[in-house]
Each structure stands twice: as C-alpha cells, then as structure tokens.
Amino acid sequence: MDHIRIIRDLQGKIFRPVYFLMGDEPYFIDVITDYMEDHILGEAEKSFCQAVLYGRDVNMDGVIGMAKGYPMMGDRQLIIVKEAQDMKEWKKDDELKVLENYLTNPTPTTLLVFAFKGKGLDKRKKLYKSIDKYGVVFESEPVRDTKLPAWIEAYVNEKGYKINHDASNLLAEYLGSNLSKVVNEVNKLAILLPPGSVITTQVIEDNIGISKDYNVWELQKALYQKDALKANRIINYFEANPKNNPIQQVIPSIYSSFIKVLMFHGLKNKNDAAKELGIPPFAIAELKQTAALFSPTKLEHVIRYLRDADKKSKGIGNVSISEGDILREVVFKIIH
C-alpha cells in the first residue's frame, strides 16, 4: 500500500486500528502523519482526543495504555508516536508482547500510529505479521536517482505547475534524493509564480540560486562531449562555491553517469536501454553519442580514475591536493 492509497482510505473514513510507517525515506512518512494530524479529528476534538508522542519520551506499556482508552468526545481518538525508532522495546521481543496482545483485540475507536524512520520491523517476526494482518504496514522507500526527475515533474504537475526536463534534472542533481528539500524548493517557487507557470532552468537560477550553467549535470554533459574548456569553467565555479558543489557529491554523480554508459555498451538490445538502465527515453540519444566517444576499455579506465579521485577527496593518499585540482586532474584523464 503506497502513501496515496493510505490517504485516500483516510479521506473515505476507512480506518485501521494500527498503522506502522517505516522506511528510509522520511518524506512519505511525514506526509501521512501530517495528514492524520490535520484531518482525522475536528479542531474541537484534537485537544481531548489527539496525542502526538515521541519515541524517546515513551515506552510501549504507556502507549498501549493510552490506546486502550476511549475518546472523551467524538467517535475516535488518534495517537501518533513520532520518531518511534527511538523506543527501546523494538530490540527486545519479550517487551513487545504488550503490542502483540493489543493487536488481537484493539480498541475500535483508537487509531494508533507508529512513525518509525529507518528499516523498521523484521518481516519474518510475528509482530510484523500481526500488524500487517490487523492494521497497515507502510514501507517508505527512497526514490531512485534515475527516477527522481520524473518524480519532481509529477509533484510539480500535482501542484498545478509545469516543469521542463532540463529544470527537473537540474533540481535532481543539485538537491539530490532528499525529497523534503525538493518539495520545499518547489513550494517556494509555487508561492512566487502564478498558477500554471512553467518552471525553467532560468526560473530556478533566479529564485533558488542554482546555476543553470554551472552544475553537476552540465559538467557531466561537458565530459560526455569531451569539452575540456566548458568542464574546466564549471570546475572553477565549483571551486569558488564549494558549499554549493561539494566534491563528495560531484564525483559520485559523474561516476554513476559513466557506469550507465558502460552498461549501455553491454546491452544486446539497445532499444530497451531506457527500461534496462532506468532512465527517461529522452536521455537515450545523449547516451548513444557518449558511447560512440568512449569505448568500453576507456570507460573502465574512467571509472578507475573516478574511484581514485573519490579516495583523494576523502584524504586517502592525499595530503595537499585541493578539491579543485582533484577535479581538474580527473577531468583531464577522462577527456584525454
């Protein structure tokens, strides 16, 4: 069950006694809990029937004790345990029996929610199976880097705006897979722009401060085209703005892009490249052009160069070379 389905069920007054929200992507967990806080109970009921707790401050006995109670007014009560991963009981099976027992006979007027940010429960354990049987288990998985631009485009469309491919790729490269950061920046633009506006790279540069000409994505394109002049201009910009363009993000991004080129070489059916590599169809033309310039042997060298540069950026085998010089060195090796 995805987060949209859960929210739709809640909108339709389809409630379950226990919700266990877990996973490595906190954004979707927050979306669900925020909706519950804002919409399950009316304003008059919240003071008496809604409790927001934090895992570090509670224990399971106390939480279940509250869950067994009944609403002081209205039809139901809502109990949300945020940061539930901080509760000590998850590591001790015998201390979780109080929750297991509650699941067999939950209070029908209570919605008990655990917002567990992290890997969560072991699916092989009895507790997981019990929650899945009597309640809802939601696994919040990160959006893959290859699918992040498409996710951004879908979110922007949902907000009533449009965004072109270059702009969504720029946001994805600059902000990374932290969905909360992406959403915050898009929401800022939504405040500034009239409904229905198109978000372009120029709009992003003017309002967010991300350069449309000097970013990891443009550096990747320069390397793909073996454009040494452009690549070094971008590196000079990175060197002058190290906080916005940390080398620890730049090198892995370039590494990932060249891995895809090497994988493209190995595909028997190049027509399936978009599906096999998890990239949008419009990116295939650029990939083909790059593969024509970089043989598989050269790409193996490129990947080794990038691994060495990554080690140097972390101080391994390097005590004096600056981040800018590390990038210049690896760019020279990639292009020549």
Side-chain angles (χ1 to χ4, degrees):
M1 184 177 291
D2 60 28
H3 74 290
I4 295 174
R5 169 69 183 279
I6 291 173
I7 290 175
R8 284 177 179 165
D9 282 353
L10 295 172
Q11 290 171 337
K13 306 298 181 184
I14 301 173
F15 301 121
R16 305 293 292 275
V18 179
Y19 294 80
F20 197 93
L21 317 175
M22 66 183 192
D24 293 324
E25 177 48 68
Y27 172 73
F28 298 118
I29 294 174
D30 289 339
V31 167
I32 296 170
T33 55
D34 287 349
Y35 180 87
M36 288 178 161
E37 278 190 72
D38 293 340
H39 297 95
I40 296 298
L41 301 179
E43 290 302 321
E45 299 170 303
K46 288 179 182 179
S47 298
F48 300 97
C49 304
Q50 181 164 300
V52 178
L53 313 170
Y54 288 85
R56 64 180 179 274
D57 301 325
V58 297
N59 58 47
M60 192 63 72
D61 283 335
V63 171
I64 297 304
M66 293 181 64
K68 288 180 177 179
Y70 287 85
M72 295 179 64
M73 61 181 295
D75 297 328
R76 61 185 58 86
Q77 67 169 341
L78 173 65
I79 300 170
I80 300 175
V81 184
K82 294 187 174 182
E83 307 298 336
Q85 70 276 5
D86 293 336
M87 295 177 70
K88 297 177 181 179
E89 287 88 348
W90 303 117
K91 298 179 181 179
K92 301 176 181 178
D93 290 348
D94 58 325
E95 295 186 15
L96 292 172
K97 289 193 179 299
V98 63
L99 175 56
E100 292 180 11
N101 293 335
Y102 176 76
L103 288 168
T104 62
N105 187 30
T107 305
T109 53
T110 295
L111 274 71
L112 176 57
V113 184
F114 293 98
F116 190 114
K117 294 179 179 177
K119 294 188 181 300
L121 299 174
D122 187 335
K123 295 181 181 180
R124 297 168 297 180
K125 295 291 183 70
K126 178 182 177 182
L127 179 59
Y128 178 93
K129 295 175 181 178
S130 294
I131 296 176
D132 194 37
K133 179 179 179 180
Y134 297 108
V136 170
V137 176
F138 168 71
E139 296 184 63
S140 184
E141 298 181 352
V143 175
R144 293 182 182 178
D145 291 343
T146 55
K147 295 184 177 180
L148 186 56
W151 188 91
I152 292 172
E153 290 171 19
Y155 181 79
V156 169
N157 291 336
E158 185 182 320
K159 296 287 291 184
Y161 295 82
K162 298 177 182 178
I163 186 170
N164 59 40
H165 294 316
D166 286 348
S168 62
N169 274 289
L170 179 57
L171 283 178
E173 287 288 352
Y174 185 81
L175 298 175
S177 58
N178 185 326
L179 298 188
S180 295
K181 285 177 64 176
V182 172
V183 167
N184 286 339
E185 296 299 341
V186 171
N187 289 347
K188 289 178 187 177
L189 294 177
I191 294 172
L192 297 170
L193 302 174
S197 298
V198 178
I199 297 174
T200 63
T201 54
Q202 189 63 54
V203 168
I204 292 170
E205 182 170 7
D206 291 344
N207 295 284
I208 297 180
I210 306 172
S211 172
K212 69 179 188 299
D213 298 315
Y214 300 98
N215 56 71
V216 177
W217 190 41
E218 288 299 323
L219 176 58
Q220 172 188 307
K221 290 170 67 176
L223 293 174
Y224 275 3
Q225 298 163 9
K226 295 191 174 184
D227 187 337
L229 181 60
K230 181 179 178 181
N232 280 286
R233 282 176 180 167
I234 295 171
I235 291 171
N236 291 339
Y237 179 86
F238 286 179
E239 196 169 32
N241 300 272
K243 290 184 179 179
N244 294 336
N245 307 279
I247 191 172
Q248 290 78 15
Q249 293 181 10
V250 172
I251 292 177
S253 179
I254 297 171
Y255 177 88
S256 176
S257 70
F258 275 103
I259 284 289
K260 289 186 177 65
V261 182
L262 182 59
M263 291 172 66
F264 179 81
H265 269 294
L267 292 177
K268 293 182 179 179
N269 186 354
K270 301 293 192 289
N271 292 328
D272 295 334
K275 180 181 179 181
E276 292 292 330
L277 302 180
I279 60 176
F282 67 82
I284 296 300
E286 182 180 54
L287 207 61
K288 286 182 179 178
Q289 293 171 358
T290 307
L293 292 176
F294 290 85
S295 69
T297 301
K298 174 63 176 178
L299 286 166
E300 289 174 2
H301 292 315
V302 166
I303 289 165
R304 188 175 70 249
Y305 300 149
L306 288 165
R307 285 174 177 164
D308 291 342
D310 183 58
K311 290 178 182 178
K312 289 179 182 178
S313 74
K314 297 171 181 174
I316 301 173
N318 168 42
V319 293
S320 60
I321 305 175
S322 69
E323 292 185 356
D325 285 339
I326 292 172
L327 286 174
R328 291 187 187 92
E329 180 184 28
V330 75
V331 161
F332 179 85
K333 289 179 177 179
I334 289 172
I335 291 176
H336 295 90

